[in-house]
Amino acid sequence: MSSHLAAVMPTPRARLAVRPTATPEPARDEILVRVRVVAVNPVDWVVQGTSRITYRWLHTPAVLGSDIAGEVVAIGSDVTRFHVGQRVFGLATGTDRGRDAVREGAFQEYSVLLERLAAPTPDAWTDDEAAVLPLALSTAACALFQPAHLGLRMPTEQGDARTREVVVVWGGSTSVGLNAIQLARAAGYDVVTTASARNADLVRDLGAEYGADHHAPTAVDDLVAAIGSRPVAGAVALGAGSTDACIEVLRRTGGTRLAMASTPISLADLVGRRRLLPAMIPVFSRIGLATARSALRARHSGIRAGFVWGSSLRDDEVGPRLWGEVVPRAVSAGALRPVPAPLVVGTGLDTLQGALDRQRAGVSARKVVVRL
Ligand SMILES: NC(=O)c1ccc[n+]([C@@H]2O[C@H](COP(=O)([O-])OP(=O)(O)OC[C@H]3O[C@@H](n4cnc5c(N)ncnc54)[C@H](OP(=O)(O)O)[C@@H]3O)[C@@H](O)[C@H]2O)c1
């Protein structure tokens, strides 16, 4: 059996270490990819720091990471959309419940991707650029298109009649938010969003209306004013504090659907603590209380609110439609760009731990990536 190198989390909370691991054969619906670039998401340092509590199913050693760009080196027997040698990008779901966190993790030289969660890399994109999209794009698609969340119509081949319906994206300059803007616009909706003033032009450039700076005390009022009398199809809440703000916006504009992707309190400080358990109890109690209060407020206002799981599209029709139809079409139409711009922080598996630390320290409209 051949082997390759992986950045492994050897035990829960341990720093990543480069180790050899067995190179897998692709199953019938998988492609084996030589990974060239990976991107880092907040969930990577959350899993590393808290998986004993938040990802209790995850066994170690584990290979973390969701975002892959590289080229196909082998295909499973049922694969029809890809061939060996082709450049691809896609979503790795190894840390999900029931998956194999070594075989299917991104942070290694070779990994497997499900055919239905991958797309050919456009010739005009570098691997750095392609790697920024998979988890953010998938999470945005879950929030917008899954019936349990906003349940919007997906972009279609015929092109989409524009509608006056508004999608609210709180946190439009996050990676997920930028992709929610792109997908909602491609599906024909108006988008009203928040971002820091420095990112206003970026969100406008993707077709959103800049409604407010999410740090401003008047942000909710500003957003409501920007929406005006248009009907609201729903809101996507991204970033600490976004849930309550979105509930208020929906309450005042008559919207009834809310997709939440963030914990009410950032886990960044908690993850850095040397001893997790004593620090965890007050933080998780506050999260539990805030979540219960928000759920009550939403219900009281007739708003259906649900928490998004960005890789759940693996098991429904949104995944294959997003990756197999929407992505290639939107790329050719110029409706999908690789945003936010990649921020290359290292080359080699041994730079990945630093990349996780860099992401946790905070970024503004940039995606931390590492070349392998
Ligand atoms: N549930 C899931 O499956 C899932 C999957 C992916 C991500 N997420 C969550 O979704 C959120 C976004 O993730 P990401 O990877 O897109 O993040 P990211 O790219 O690291 O987000 C960075 C951006 O966050 C913005 N931001 C900071 N504080 C904010 C706040 N309080 N409200 C709104 N925006 C704020 C900043 O915008 P400015 O610089 O313009 O202020 C910055 O550009 C995170 O909470 C992440 O954990 C959840």
Side-chain angles (χ1 to χ4, degrees), residues 150-334:
L150 268 51
L152 307 183
R153 59 173 186 275
M154 292 184 78
T156 62
E157 201 163 358
Q158 290 73 39
D160 294 283
R162 296 234 68 82
T163 144
R164 287 182 69 247
E165 271 186 291
V166 172
V167 174
V168 176
V169 179
W170 188 286
S173 50
T174 63
S175 306
V176 178
L178 292 165
N179 284 289
I181 293 169
Q182 301 201 91
L183 288 174
R185 291 294 294 155
Y189 294 86
D190 287 353
V191 178
V192 177
T193 194
T194 74
S196 289
R198 62 176 170 262
N199 292 320
D201 286 344
L202 173 62
V203 298
R204 282 196 192 104
D205 205 33
L206 298 175
E209 294 161 52
Y210 179 63
D213 181 333
H214 38 239
H215 302 104
T218 56
V220 167
D221 294 339
D222 296 345
L223 220 53
V224 170
I227 293 164
S229 60
R230 288 175 288 180
V232 171
V236 181
L238 301 157
S242 59
T243 294
D244 285 343
C246 283
I247 290 172
E248 186 57 16
V249 171
L250 290 172
R251 194 184 67 73
R252 286 165 57 179
T253 56
T256 57
R257 291 199 164 200
L258 173 60
M260 306 172 290
S262 301
T263 49
I265 298 159
S266 169
L267 297 176
D269 291 340
L270 181 64
V271 165
R273 301 288 180 86
R274 210 164 59 81
R275 294 182 61 229
L276 180 63
L277 277 176
M280 187 201 85
I281 293 164
V283 172
F284 277 83
S285 307
R286 276 166 60 212
I287 288 177
L289 267 177
T291 305
R293 261 201 314 265
S294 301
L296 267 178
R297 285 189 59 222
R299 198 172 318 147
H300 188 67
S301 307
I303 296 164
R304 199 180 76 182
F307 197 79
V308 175
W309 192 261
S311 48
S312 56
L313 80 186
R314 180 190 53 237
D315 302 318
D316 64 22
E317 66 155 30
V318 173
R321 282 187 65 193
L322 176 76
W323 284 95
E325 299 166 29
V326 174
V327 166
R329 216 166 39 226
V331 167
S332 332

Side-chain angles (χ1 to χ4, degrees), residues 68-70 82 86-89 119-127 130 331:
I68 287 178
F82 298 104
Q86 192 172 10
R87 291 174 66 227
V88 289
F89 66 114
T121 304
D123 290 343
W125 293 9
T126 63
D127 289 336
V331 167

